[in-house]
Amino acid sequence: MTVYLHEGDLPDGLDLGPEVAVDSETMGLRFRRDPLCVVQLSSGDGDAHVVRLNRPAYDCPNLKRLMADPDVLKIFHFGRFDIGMVELHLGVETRPVYCTKIASKLARTYTDRHGLKDVAREMAGIDLSKAQQSSDWGAPELSQAQLDYAASDVLHLHVIKDRLNQMLVREGRMELAQACFDFLPTRARLDLRGWDEMDIFAHT
């Protein structure tokens, strides 16, 4: 595994292929209080690209272009948050998308454990460490432990996606899952507009 650290943006000409695993690191979980600090990506080849963003300018045309590219599938785990952060801070809508957490909830109905650590253990046989999850991602320099953690969150999403797709097809839920993925950027926009704590489909 090689972890490439890029300051500010992805390098010109970098081609990550038709499917890119994506995750982000922030200073917290509130959209307008906590800034987006890091975006990490992997093409599924065992390497990871970590972009330490230049806040508050967020001058990253290559990253923005990738996130909005209609020909590149972006694979997330709990994409709702990452997609919202990208739209809020980078000003682009992320499409098309796939969310392994949504796929897990539709396919793995025998469990209520759909966090990345649990899904990765079952689907990819990987035991992820979450030790750096709550750390200072806005620091002037990222530690090697932070870089390794950021990479681990994207390195296995392609394998997890493929395994979950097999289950979704087997159980006849692939079409339903795709409809959920298509709606996900809209769900993220609802969060940004103030409906983050309300289920607008609920009766009350």
Side-chain angles (χ1 to χ4, degrees):
M1 175 189 75
T2 302
V3 181
Y4 301 93
L5 175 62
H6 307 294
E7 294 291 344
D9 196 6
L10 292 171
D12 293 339
L14 179 65
D15 183 6
L16 293 175
E19 295 188 358
V20 179
V22 185
D23 192 27
S24 68
E25 307 300 338
T26 65
M27 289 296 291
L29 299 176
R30 293 184 180 271
F31 280 119
R32 287 174 175 79
R33 183 193 68 185
D34 302 319
L36 175 64
C37 301
V38 171
V39 173
Q40 57 266 42
L41 310 102
S42 176
S43 63
D45 61 356
D47 293 337
H49 295 266
V50 178
V51 181
R52 182 174 172 271
L53 295 163
N54 56 345
R55 301 182 290 126
Y58 293 108
D59 182 20
C60 48
N62 294 331
L63 179 59
K64 292 178 182 180
R65 189 178 304 112
L66 174 66
M67 300 306 286
D69 191 334
D71 296 321
V72 177
L73 178 68
K74 276 69 71 171
I75 308 168
F76 296 91
H77 188 82
F78 193 54
R80 175 177 167 182
F81 179 75
D82 301 301
I83 293 165
M85 275 291 182
V86 167
E87 179 159 340
L88 178 62
H89 294 286
L90 305 190
V92 297
E93 182 183 66
T94 303
R95 287 185 187 271
V97 300
Y98 184 106
C99 179
T100 55
K101 189 162 194 171
I102 290 174
S104 176
K105 288 183 176 182
L106 288 173
R108 299 171 65 245
T109 52
Y110 48 82
T111 181
D112 61 356
R113 301 179 71 86
H114 302 288
L116 181 57
K117 186 176 179 68
D118 293 295
V119 176
R121 183 185 297 115
E122 181 179 340
M123 297 289 104
I126 300 296
D127 190 14
L128 296 178
S129 171
K130 289 297 184 179
Q132 293 296 317
Q133 185 172 26
S134 298
S135 63
D136 182 8
W137 291 101
E141 294 186 11
L142 299 178
S143 68
Q144 188 60 50
Q146 285 178 305
L147 292 175
D148 291 343
Y149 167 82
S152 71
D153 273 1
V154 293
L155 287 175
H156 312 290
L157 289 184
H158 288 78
V159 173
I160 293 170
K161 167 186 167 288
D162 291 344
R163 288 289 310 280
L164 288 170
N165 275 355
Q166 291 173 16
M167 296 179 70
L168 288 168
V169 171
R170 186 189 74 198
E171 301 303 321
R173 298 172 188 157
M174 192 68 238
E175 184 177 353
L176 182 61
Q178 187 59 57
C180 292
F181 304 150
D182 292 343
F183 178 70
L184 195 51
T186 302
R187 173 65 262 193
R189 188 172 302 114
L190 284 168
D191 290 341
L192 295 177
R193 299 288 179 87
W195 283 275
D196 50 322
E197 296 183 0
M198 179 186 297
D199 179 3
I200 62 170
F201 298 103
H203 177 64
T204 57

